[in-house]
Amino acid sequence: MGGDGVIKKKKQWWVMVALFLLFVFAVGFLSFHLGRREGQAEQNENKEADGKPEGSRGADGGGSETETGMSFGGDCAVAAPCLADGTPCDFSLELAPPSLVPLADRLIPELEEQEGIAAAAAFYRRNQGMVCHGMEALQGGSVLGIGPDFLAASGFQVEKGRGFTERDVEEKRRIALLDGRAAQALFPGLDPVGETVEVEGRLYQVVGVADSPQLRTGGGLVLIPESTWSEAYQYMEPKSVALRIAEPVGESLTEAEWEALREETGAYAARMLNSMVPEKETIRYQAWE
């Protein structure tokens, strides 16, 4: 009996040790994720306090890229949904206006037929998206929900692995593309292709690394199939539109001329989209730098 009692006490002791270690792990895990969420909330509060679109013009009138902003250049223009006063929309806390949700997709074919536009693609965008790999988190980055046509329209080129296919989108595969900054932030010194990242608490397999010399993304960019967007962010929302400008034949444009052409093309696309938005809506489209 004495021996059985000793064995029983040892088992109880090991059970208590195991429970204690499990408790410590759970507390550490929760602290890590709560810390990331608090940091995310603080960044959002700072952004709202600024009251200005990310990547907006500075006081000197020139374009200023913020640490968390995403701006297009070269031969790519963007029309994005914003509040009437130009403030970027945040659809993370409230449902999007139903009238805006299908507009971008419906008008892409018409935009592509316009003279001066070589390609167009609609995409979802969420600045300050929560993305991590293990203990590494993407700070100040953006998450985009895209289709296979986005890379060509935005000037992205796959440097490692592969891009998205129609089948990836149709089958709602949880895969991701990273730009160079996101790859370095989440996988410092490592090849991310074949690894997984956590996007808003859901696992996505990295299938490639893509970059664009024209797109400046602040803290980094993570691309996921547009068909999985509602899984990550719970519902559908209005899309932005990327437009690839057709370079005038026989002309070599300066950067100032490209900037003017981008503004003109983006404004044209915004006018076309807004022509179908009810006047009572407080959310409109505008050209995005």
Side-chain angles (χ1 to χ4, degrees):
M1 292 294 292
D4 291 341
V6 171
I7 294 174
K8 184 175 182 180
K9 286 183 178 181
K10 286 184 176 180
K11 287 183 177 179
Q12 290 176 340
W13 186 83
W14 281 112
V15 169
M16 290 177 65
V17 170
L19 290 174
F20 175 76
L21 293 175
L22 181 62
F23 173 77
V24 171
F25 174 79
V27 170
F29 181 80
L30 289 174
S31 297
F32 170 70
H33 281 274
L34 286 175
R36 287 198 297 117
R37 289 182 181 275
E38 289 174 0
Q40 179 72 34
E42 182 179 351
Q43 289 174 334
N44 288 340
E45 288 175 2
N46 292 337
K47 181 177 68 174
E48 292 173 1
D50 290 340
K52 296 189 298 182
E54 296 173 19
S56 60
R57 291 181 180 275
D60 61 353
S64 62
E65 180 190 356
T66 67
E67 181 62 25
T68 60
M70 183 181 74
S71 57
F72 287 72
D75 58 354
C76 188
V78 171
C82 293
L83 297 179
D85 63 0
T87 304
C89 294
D90 180 5
F91 298 107
S92 60
L93 301 178
E94 59 183 358
L95 293 178
S99 60
L100 292 185
V101 173
L103 279 185
D105 285 324
R106 282 168 44 194
L107 288 178
I108 288 298
E110 187 172 344
L111 284 168
E112 289 181 320
E113 292 177 356
Q114 303 305 307
E115 184 178 356
I117 298 178
F123 65 97
Y124 296 110
R125 178 179 62 184
R126 182 63 59 88
N127 291 337
Q128 305 290 351
M130 188 175 292
V131 183
C132 66
H133 169 71
M135 300 297 288
E136 304 291 347
L138 191 64
Q139 300 294 333
S142 301
V143 180
L144 302 188
I146 69 167
D149 54 349
F150 175 81
L151 298 184
S154 61
F156 265 86
Q157 293 184 347
V158 176
E159 298 180 346
K160 289 183 180 180
R162 66 176 182 85
F164 294 165
T165 65
E166 293 286 353
R167 188 171 180 179
D168 290 329
V169 177
E170 291 172 0
E171 295 184 359
K172 298 184 179 182
R173 294 177 178 174
R174 287 187 181 178
I175 57 177
L177 285 168
L178 309 181
D179 76 343
R181 289 190 180 185
Q184 180 59 31
L186 297 171
F187 301 90
L190 301 175
D191 183 357
V193 177
E195 302 293 336
T196 59
V197 294
E198 184 180 331
V199 180
E200 305 296 339
R202 292 165 174 79
L203 294 179
Y204 284 74
Q205 183 179 37
V206 179
V207 297
V209 176
D211 260 316
S212 169
Q214 303 170 359
L215 181 59
R216 297 174 293 279
T217 60
L221 199 65
V222 178
L223 313 177
I224 64 175
E226 59 183 5
S227 55
T228 68
W229 189 260
S230 59
E231 297 178 3
Y233 295 102
Q234 309 309 315
Y235 53 83
M236 310 306 284
E237 58 190 71
K239 292 181 177 180
S240 299
V241 175
L243 305 154
R244 192 170 186 84
I245 302 169
E247 186 171 6
V249 178
E251 296 185 36
S252 181
L253 303 183
T254 65
E255 178 55 35
E257 290 173 329
W258 271 120
E259 182 176 355
L261 191 55
R262 284 196 301 271
E263 292 180 357
E264 179 183 343
T265 305
Y268 173 79
R271 286 197 302 272
M272 180 179 291
L273 289 160
N274 286 330
S275 68
M276 302 187 69
V277 177
E279 292 185 4
K280 62 181 180 180
E281 287 288 6
T282 58
I283 297 178
R284 320 289 292 178
Y285 286 88
Q286 74 170 24
W288 192 264
E289 294 183 358

